[in-house]
Amino acid sequence: MIKEDLKKLLCSFSEEDFNGKVDLHIHSCFSDGTMTPNEIAQQAKQKNMKYISISDHNCMDAYLAENIKNNKNIIPAIEFDCFFKGVLIHILGYGINLENEDLKKLFARENAGKNNRIYRLFHLRNPKKVIAAINNSGGIAVLAHPACYWTLFLDSFVKKLTDLGLEGIEVFYPYRGLRGIIKFHSKKSVFKIAQKYKLIKTGGSDSHGVQIL
């Protein structure tokens, strides 16, 4: 899918879609999730979902190991661990070309870089390089679960990322568990920021378990 078509598709999703029909943030067993990519795809089919994305940490092994690469209901994705302005953040890349050399340089080479949260904290990526690689591969860079980032000035924080080429922000996100407790901003404020900077609004469950939603 070419980038402009991907943008139109992502922009066409409503909040209602992200409440059961579209889930663009799912982890498989190739990072720190439980299900195999095929199990995720099968469950999405059973639930009559429109689109999903398997967005594993720092890798796209799911799209190489199992027969989901050509599934038209799956938007290829990845989630990178990054460090920006003293804050740990996650940047999602959608519609990316997994053969892109700049992108491949950022992939984790060890399993711990994909599934070990502590190890990943010591191997954070530069968001400028991540966003550039996502854009150069024909993809769209999106800021994941922004309401829980340790910054009091989310608006200016996001603005700096848009200056680097960020094009979207995860607005429709459940903030369960620890992220629901350590939360500095509201979904309402995230929505306003998305509107202000004309960012694509995405959403997903961030599922790591045996159920997508």
Side-chain angles (χ1 to χ4, degrees):
M1 184 183 297
I2 63 173
K3 187 166 183 172
E4 286 307 311
D5 289 341
L6 176 61
K7 277 187 180 181
K8 288 177 184 177
L9 177 62
L10 294 179
C11 289
S12 74
F13 298 146
S14 65
E15 182 174 1
E16 185 178 351
D17 285 323
F18 288 115
N19 191 28
K21 291 299 180 183
V22 177
D23 190 338
L24 303 183
H25 196 157
I26 304 170
H27 293 277
S28 81
C29 61
F30 285 96
S31 64
D32 54 353
T34 302
M35 292 191 287
T36 67
N38 282 329
E39 287 172 337
I40 292 170
Q42 185 60 34
Q43 191 175 122
K45 184 178 180 180
Q46 291 170 351
K47 291 174 180 283
N48 294 315
M49 297 180 72
K50 295 178 182 177
Y51 288 94
I52 63 168
S53 286
I54 296 172
S55 52
D56 285 328
H57 290 288
N58 310 312
C59 74
M60 297 194 71
D61 296 0
Y63 296 92
L64 298 171
E66 296 189 11
N67 189 27
I68 63 165
K69 187 176 179 181
N70 296 318
N71 188 319
K72 293 181 180 179
N73 300 105
I74 298 180
I75 300 171
I78 192 169
E79 184 175 20
F80 285 112
D81 300 288
C82 301
F83 193 67
F84 185 64
K85 303 294 181 183
V87 180
L88 167 65
I89 64 172
H90 288 171
I91 295 176
L92 294 153
Y94 291 107
I96 47 186
N97 176 5
L98 56 88
E99 298 300 330
N100 180 273
E101 291 301 322
D102 289 337
L103 201 67
K104 286 164 72 173
K105 290 175 184 176
L106 297 169
F107 291 170
R109 290 171 174 76
E110 314 84 7
N111 284 333
K114 307 167 190 177
N115 56 38
N116 187 307
R117 184 172 294 181
I118 302 301
Y119 180 92
R120 284 166 25 215
L121 285 175
F122 294 95
H123 296 81
L124 299 174
R125 286 145 180 82
N126 181 314
K128 183 177 182 178
K129 291 182 179 179
V130 166
I131 292 171
I134 290 170
N135 289 337
N136 290 340
S137 74
I140 292 172
V142 172
L143 184 64
H145 40 71
C148 62
Y149 291 141
W150 293 66
T151 174
L152 297 177
F153 307 103
L154 187 63
D155 187 304
S156 60
F157 188 80
V158 172
K159 175 61 169 61
K160 290 181 177 71
L161 287 168
T162 63
D163 290 342
L164 296 180
L166 187 83
E167 296 184 84
I169 190 167
E170 201 169 43
V171 174
F172 309 110
Y173 182 88
Y175 293 101
R176 302 186 185 99
L178 186 61
R179 288 208 171 96
I181 298 169
I182 304 174
K183 205 167 94 169
F184 295 89
H185 310 278
S186 67
K187 288 185 179 180
K188 186 176 180 180
S189 64
V190 172
F191 186 91
K192 286 182 177 179
I193 290 170
Q195 293 283 85
K196 181 177 181 178
Y197 297 114
K198 296 180 173 58
L199 295 170
I200 298 168
K201 305 177 191 71
T202 71
S205 64
D206 201 0
S207 170
H208 289 70
V210 295
Q211 291 291 326
I212 295 177
L213 299 172

